[in-house]
Amino acid sequence: MRRAMTVVASLALAGGALALPVTASAQDRAVIPASHPSWATPQAKVTDSAPSAKLSFRVYLTTRDQAGADAAARAVSDPSGPSFRQYLSPDQVRDRFAASDATLGAVRNWLSGSGFAIGDIPPNRAYVEATGTTGQVEQAFGVDLARYRVEGQVLRAADRELSVPAALSADVLGVIGVDQATALMKPDITDGSPSDVPPPAGFRNARPCSAYYGEKIDTTDPAYQGRQRPYAPCGYTPAQLRSAYGVDGVRADGTGTTVAIVDAFASPTLYADAAEYARRNDPGHPLRPSQFAQQVFPANVDQEPPDQCDAAGWYGEQTLDVEAVHAMAPGAKILYVGGSDCQDASLDEALNWIVAGHHADIISNSYGDAGEDIPAAEVRVWTQIAQQAALEGIGVYFSSGDNGDEAARLGAPSADFPASDSWVTAVGGTSLAIGKDGRTLFETGWETGKSTLTGGAYTPPYPGAYTSGSGGGTSVLFDEPFYQKGVVPDALAAQNQHGKARGRVVPDISAVGDPNTGFLIGQTQTFPDGVHYDQYRIGGTSLASPVLAGIMAVSDSLTGFHHGFVNPVLYQVAARTPAVRDVRHVDAAVMRVDYANSVDASGGLVTSARDLDWPDLTIHTTPGYDDVTGLGVPNGLAFLLLP
């Protein structure tokens, strides 16, 4: 997750694509509004960029008929209309809405005339990629590039808004890659350790822990809130999660559906780890080579890489995503698509490649920004890609975030982007108690409070200090979409709007995310005794998103059609069918034991109580729709038979 929130009022949109005008600033130039990161200030400047340094960027092109695209995407997604699920092919989307030959030629000619080498154009004509020097970029866009310090990193950015020739102002949707703002994007993955990200070195869960919720009770430590609490599960297995969500025992397993996973980089042991994990933990459902494919993009030309990209952290993310999807939908094909790095120019290339070629039916994305202080071009680009996915009948799922309402980090409540985009399904997290028989004992909103046992007392006392939890809140970038009207409470939709239109609220739906009731995964890691495969419990909305994507793959397989952008259906059926089970607050906690050194008992043990639904946030788990769990969680066969 990323940055603090600075609201750009002109970004609000009503469930459709974002359309910001490019405004005139000189006789033959036009400024792209909000194309300058707010953190690139003179006070934060470290050094100028070297004029000869090379970089690649993309000029994204506007949709030819934005109003028509908005209407068509809604029509194919809205179950109340006559065009419901009459999806368009990639060719039809291109022919109706992509940039024209004239537009494409004009932008290419300007870039090549400015000295840039032109790269490949994607089939949907979403962008023109160009490569050149820093000096050429500065001349072409009328800016000076420098490196600025932000959140412990030193990143490249322009010193002012980008500008383009006025004749192209209506054709340019945005420019991605000139700045490195999205190097701050992080995976939504949580292991519950103090760093809240999986370490590059090895990690193991200490004992005691439970095979299922409530198997072992801590009777040796002081009672927490007057009760002896159960030890946290060691990590739920595929069979336990399939049972809890009712996807076992049905005549479908995801066969016929392809689930794509988008992340940065590519773990060299990704398939081997996932196959070994299935062999050990789900032997009846091996991950066959024919079920798994990878598309990894080569590194971008950029001689000023961001200071930090944490490839090892992304390796853990990829492993979790693949193993969770296969756990829920063991018959589905999995396509891993890896960006060359964690910058937006790489992640949006990966996402756009899937959509432009309709290479998958479902896309799970477990990364995002802390809040909505997002470059305007990035918002426009992600929205355009997600809308094309909806037109083609591709479901795009994003983790809602792992930091609750972000108020503690950002100083004010905020939803996280891209989960807040109106054309994606935002997946929140829950704390899940699975009993001995594999059935759900209870499920509550995931917001963790931690009290460490120190000197015989829990510090801080109940409900402890907040550590992590399901992301949620009201967007300041996106107006209330049509599918949320009449379902999301007025008080939530009106938050953060400051007298303006009602906002989009996240999440939409949830699944298990709490690392204290999390999923067991297997990954090759570096331990003191060498590099080898091992297993540990993990969580985050990074878990919730691929779990939900796997459940949707089973639903597609069972019903015989692809649900595409499912939000309009979800909000209709939740109000009148048992397909979605409401999640309500449960007063519960678990005891957790951790190795102080993350790998063994030689450095000692740390015992803590973990409250499962921390009460002191500005978002709360309530009856009906709430901004911790959304509409609720999938409810077995009724959910799998979604219309």
Side-chain angles (χ1 to χ4, degrees):
M1 302 299 289
R2 298 198 281 187
R3 281 160 288 167
M5 178 178 69
T6 299
V7 177
V8 180
S10 62
L11 293 187
L13 51 85
L18 193 62
L20 286 183
V22 182
T23 57
S25 64
Q27 186 175 359
D28 59 352
R29 302 288 297 179
V31 164
I32 305 176
S35 56
H36 172 243
S38 60
W39 44 262
T41 64
Q43 295 77 15
K45 182 177 176 180
V46 175
T47 184
D48 292 324
S49 291
S52 60
K54 293 204 171 198
L55 61 93
S56 293
F57 61 91
R58 297 194 184 95
V59 177
Y60 273 82
L61 307 178
T62 56
T63 296
R64 192 187 318 168
D65 175 12
Q66 188 59 65
D70 292 344
R74 173 169 175 167
V76 300
S77 306
D78 187 350
S80 63
S83 298
F84 181 49
R85 294 214 174 97
Q86 295 181 20
Y87 302 130
L88 305 183
S89 70
D91 287 348
Q92 289 173 318
V93 174
R94 183 194 63 229
D95 293 343
R96 288 177 59 178
F97 303 118
S100 66
D101 290 341
T103 294
L104 190 63
V107 173
R108 283 179 56 123
N109 289 340
W110 167 60
L111 290 170
S112 61
S114 299
F116 297 109
I118 305 302
D120 294 336
I121 309 291
N124 61 350
R125 298 181 171 184
Y127 58 79
V128 177
E129 185 167 29
T131 299
T133 67
T134 294
Q136 289 171 323
V137 169
E138 292 175 327
Q139 183 69 27
F141 292 102
V143 296
D144 292 323
L145 295 183
R147 302 205 13 115
Y148 297 86
R149 192 173 304 280
V150 52
E151 293 200 8
Q153 300 193 47
V154 177
L155 303 178
R156 183 185 62 239
D159 65 336
R160 70 199 78 149
E161 310 283 28
L162 306 179
S163 66
V164 297
L168 300 178
S169 63
D171 302 325
V172 176
L173 181 73
V175 180
I176 299 293
V178 168
D179 66 50
Q180 296 177 315
T182 52
L184 296 163
M185 191 169 279
K186 296 292 188 296
D188 292 321
I189 188 169
T190 302
D191 67 3
S193 65
S195 62
D196 283 333
V197 296
F203 181 84
R204 296 187 180 102
N205 293 113
R207 270 39 178 184
C209 56
S210 298
Y212 53 86
Y213 192 91
E215 181 208 16
K216 297 177 181 177
I217 306 297
D218 181 0
T219 58
T220 60
D221 293 314
Y224 183 69
Q225 276 296 96
R227 283 189 280 168
Q228 301 296 147
R229 305 289 184 163
Y231 284 109
C234 302
Y236 292 134
T237 64
Q240 285 176 302
L241 287 188
R242 288 197 298 268
S243 176
Y245 287 113
V247 296
D248 57 345
V250 299
R251 297 189 305 274
D253 61 1
T255 298
T257 296
T258 298
V259 180
I261 293 162
V262 175
D263 281 311
F265 310 104
S267 166
T269 60
L270 183 57
Y271 173 74
D273 286 344
E276 176 64 16
Y277 176 83
R279 186 187 70 80
R280 293 191 186 195
N281 301 286
D282 204 13
H285 300 95
L287 179 61
R288 299 179 176 89
S290 60
Q291 289 180 267
F292 182 82
Q294 286 192 113
Q295 168 70 29
V296 183
F297 290 91
N300 290 321
V301 176
D302 194 335
Q303 292 183 3
E304 293 184 320
D307 284 358
Q308 300 173 17
C309 238
D310 189 19
W314 286 90
Y315 289 177
E317 174 62 63
Q318 299 152 24
T319 304
L320 166 61
D321 291 350
V322 171
E323 292 174 4
V325 168
H326 185 66
M328 304 311 294
K333 291 185 177 180
I334 297 175
L335 171 63
Y336 174 73
V337 184
S340 59
D341 52 49
C342 67
Q343 297 184 71
D344 190 67
S346 301
L347 293 172
D348 72 53
E349 179 183 25
L351 187 63
N352 187 72
W353 179 83
I354 298 169
V355 173
H358 201 136
H359 294 295
D361 311 296
I362 294 167
I363 308 173
S364 179
N365 306 267
S366 294
Y367 51 87
D369 189 282
E372 291 184 316
D373 178 20
I374 314 298
E378 182 183 341
V379 178
R380 294 194 294 270
V381 165
W382 286 104
T383 298
Q384 182 169 278
I385 297 171
Q387 188 178 65
Q388 180 174 346
L391 286 165
E392 295 180 18
I394 301 172
V396 179
Y397 298 83
F398 266 94
S399 300
S400 70
D402 286 0
N403 298 287
D405 57 11
E406 298 288 4
R409 299 176 68 190
L410 307 182
S414 176
D416 289 344
F417 180 85
S420 60
D421 194 297
S422 296
W423 289 109
V424 309
T425 300
V427 187
T430 64
S431 299
L432 175 63
I434 302 178
K436 184 177 182 180
D437 62 357
R439 301 302 171 185
T440 298
L441 300 176
F442 67 83
E443 195 161 7
T444 190
W446 165 45
E447 303 292 351
T448 299
K450 177 182 177 181
S451 297
T452 302
L453 185 59
T454 306
Y458 292 100
T459 307
Y462 172 85
Y466 182 75
T467 63
S468 55
S470 175
T474 305
S475 174
V476 297
L477 297 181
F478 298 89
D479 289 343
E480 182 178 45
F482 70 94
Y483 50 82
Q484 287 195 327
K485 293 179 178 178
V487 179
V488 173
D490 292 343
L492 296 181
Q495 283 184 354
N496 303 340
Q497 298 308 295
H498 308 295
K500 298 184 180 180
R502 293 156 56 99
R504 153 89 159 127
V505 187
V506 296
D508 297 303
I509 192 167
S510 293
V512 59
D514 185 351
N516 303 295
T517 65
F519 180 54
L520 185 71
I521 74 164
Q523 179 187 2
T524 298
Q525 303 166 74
T526 302
F527 293 93
D529 61 348
V531 177
H532 56 82
Y533 173 96
D534 207 333
Q535 303 190 152
Y536 60 99
R537 179 188 62 235
I538 203 165
T541 51
S542 265
L543 169 59
S545 182
V547 164
L548 198 283
I551 294 172
M552 289 305 307
V554 174
S555 180
D556 282 6
S557 182
L558 184 63
T559 58
F561 57 81
H562 298 301
H563 288 80
F565 178 53
V566 76
N567 285 18
V569 170
L570 288 179
Y571 281 87
Q572 283 203 13
V573 303
R576 53 185 174 84
T577 77
V580 179
R581 178 165 49 83
D582 188 25
V583 175
R584 304 191 180 193
H585 173 75
V586 174
D587 181 13
V590 296
M591 300 301 296
R592 177 165 162 168
V593 181
D594 290 292
Y595 295 126
N597 65 8
S598 298
V599 294
D600 58 39
S602 64
L605 300 174
V606 178
T607 300
S608 60
R610 306 293 179 106
D611 188 77
L612 300 187
D613 195 8
W614 200 72
D616 292 346
L617 295 175
T618 57
I619 58 176
H620 302 284
T621 308
T622 64
Y625 180 94
D626 61 65
D627 46 6
V628 174
T629 65
L631 295 165
V633 295
N635 190 27
L637 184 61
F639 183 89
L640 296 177
L641 293 175
L642 281 174

